[in-house]
């Protein structure tokens, strides 16, 4: 898969400044979407499209990377994480301004943009690195994540006979993914997009 990704890169110029916001007052939350890195970049792409940092909609930046793995493994590579031995999740880190967009809204949007009912899988990609998870930074975030999960379950999944299997766990060390994964679909508009990553409602 890594070889396929590398083959999709182009030299198309992208104005990355239009995808950034001034870093003033902000809070940080890991809302982790664990799939193949190109799927994770799909979800990062969705968030930036719907909350453009340059339009001051609350999301200041997104970064794809790895978290939730063996603490003895530091700065893991994409190849190492894909092997499954480190137990890291492929993830999106979101920096946001809570005075503009709330943690509740981000958690709900997380559920809107992937399939949270499959264990260790998104689309055709399988393995623990593709698990659905939310990594929280406080007891308050954990409580909000659990409440929103229950609300989304009751409204969108119980009527269909499905159950959310998303993990909600405390955040641990974060490692940025390689540079070529960052803003991937803005740099490569025709690149691979996971079919489960779209607005489901």
């Amino acid at each position: 898969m890594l070889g396929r990704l590398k083959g999709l890169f182009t030299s198309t110029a992208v104005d990355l400044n239009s995808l950034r916001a001034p870093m003033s007052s902000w809070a940080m939350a890991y809302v982790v979407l664990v799939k193949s890195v190109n799927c994770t970049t799909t979800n990062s792409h969705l968030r930036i499209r719907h909350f453009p940092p340059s339009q001051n909609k609350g999301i200041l930046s997104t970064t794809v990377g790895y978290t939730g793995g063996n603490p003895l493994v530091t700065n893991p590579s994409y190849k190492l994480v894909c092997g499954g031995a480190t137990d890291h999740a492929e993830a999106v880190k979101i920096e946001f301004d809570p005075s503009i967009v709330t943690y509740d809204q981000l958690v709900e949007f997380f559920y809107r943009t992937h399939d949270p009912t499959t264990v260790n899988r998104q689309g055709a990609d399988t393995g623990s690195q593709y698990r659905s998870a939310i990594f929280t930074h406080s007891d308050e975030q954990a409580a909000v994540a659990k409440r929103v999960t229950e609300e989304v379950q009751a409204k969108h999944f119980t009527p269909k006979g499905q159950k959310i299997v998303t993990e909600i766990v405390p955040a641990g060390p974060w490692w940025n993914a390689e540079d070529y994964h960052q803003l991937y679909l803005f740099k490569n508009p025709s690149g691979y997009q996971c079919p489960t990553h779209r607005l489901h409602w």
Side-chain angles (χ1 to χ4, degrees):
M1 185 178 293
L2 185 59
R4 179 176 65 180
L5 276 175
K6 288 182 177 176
L8 292 173
F9 290 118
T10 68
S11 58
T12 304
V14 177
D15 180 11
L16 299 182
N17 289 325
S18 67
L19 306 175
R20 297 189 176 102
M23 300 295 281
S24 54
S25 62
W26 55 270
M28 183 166 66
Y30 297 139
V31 179
V32 176
L33 317 174
V34 183
K35 311 148 178 77
S36 66
V37 164
N38 41 355
C39 275
T40 301
T41 58
T42 302
N43 208 283
S44 176
H45 183 253
L46 276 170
R47 288 176 184 279
I48 293 174
R49 280 179 47 210
H50 289 275
F51 298 89
S54 61
Q55 294 180 22
N56 196 31
K57 291 190 175 182
I59 288 185
L60 304 177
S61 70
T62 64
T63 307
V64 296
Y66 317 113
T67 192
N70 185 328
L72 298 178
V73 179
T74 59
N75 200 24
S77 66
Y78 173 69
K79 184 176 181 180
L80 191 61
V81 170
C82 282
T86 73
D87 202 35
H88 283 85
E90 298 175 1
V92 178
K93 179 174 70 173
I94 301 164
E95 294 176 326
F96 68 98
D97 184 338
S99 70
I100 299 172
V101 61
T102 67
Y103 189 71
D104 308 50
Q105 290 173 295
L106 294 179
V107 172
E108 193 270 346
F109 192 79
F110 162 71
Y111 284 120
R112 289 180 68 194
T113 56
H114 82 296
D115 182 357
T117 68
T118 54
V119 177
N120 295 338
R121 177 166 62 89
Q122 284 296 307
D125 295 315
T126 61
S128 62
Q129 69 270 31
Y130 306 131
R131 64 191 182 272
S132 174
I134 299 172
F135 290 80
T136 61
H137 285 269
S138 67
D139 291 342
E140 180 184 4
Q141 284 189 354
V144 170
K146 290 173 183 175
R147 175 179 54 77
V148 174
T149 299
E150 291 172 357
E151 293 169 356
V152 170
Q153 172 68 49
K155 184 174 182 180
H156 297 285
F157 293 99
T158 298
K160 296 188 288 186
Q162 297 177 309
K163 181 170 178 55
I164 292 174
V165 296
T166 302
E167 300 175 2
I168 300 174
V169 295
W174 170 270
W175 309 99
N176 286 350
E178 295 81 348
D179 286 345
Y180 64 85
H181 291 304
Q182 308 301 333
L183 297 173
Y184 172 76
L185 285 172
F186 288 99
K187 301 171 186 173
N188 304 275
S190 60
Y192 174 76
Q193 298 188 47
C194 183
T196 66
H197 292 200
R198 55 184 172 80
L199 293 180
H200 290 267
W201 63 82

